[in-house]
Amino acid sequence: MPMLMLKCKTCGEVFPGIYVPEGSTVDFTANATTSDTSHTCSRKHSNEYVTVDYMDWS
């Protein structure tokens, strides 16, 4: 299952954004990355993210 990672815009920590089920389409990934745009890293920095912020580290 591929994982799309995010990088904290405040401290640079890389953390899991979303898991994408195997065989998912580009449309699924685009919808998944725009449905919940606010994420918080382990250091409690909360940032808004857009589709291009997600990195595929699978």
Side-chain angles (χ1 to χ4, degrees), residues 3 13 15 22 38 41 43-44 48-51 53 58:
M3 183 184 339
E13 174 188 355
F15 60 95
E22 199 67 45
S38 179
C41 78
R43 296 178 182 150
K44 307 299 183 215
E48 296 292 320
Y49 295 91
V50 295
T51 303
D53 293 324
S58 55

Side-chain angles (χ1 to χ4, degrees), residues 4-48:
L4 297 180
M5 306 294 286
L6 290 170
K7 185 174 184 178
C8 179
K9 295 178 180 181
T10 305
C11 68
E13 174 188 355
V14 175
F15 60 95
I18 61 168
Y19 293 97
V20 179
E22 199 67 45
S24 293
T25 65
V26 172
D27 289 338
F28 173 86
T29 303
N31 288 337
T33 57
T34 56
S35 61
D36 182 14
T37 60
S38 179
H39 293 277
T40 305
C41 78
S42 67
R43 296 178 182 150
K44 307 299 183 215
H45 302 127
S46 184
N47 293 286
E48 296 292 320

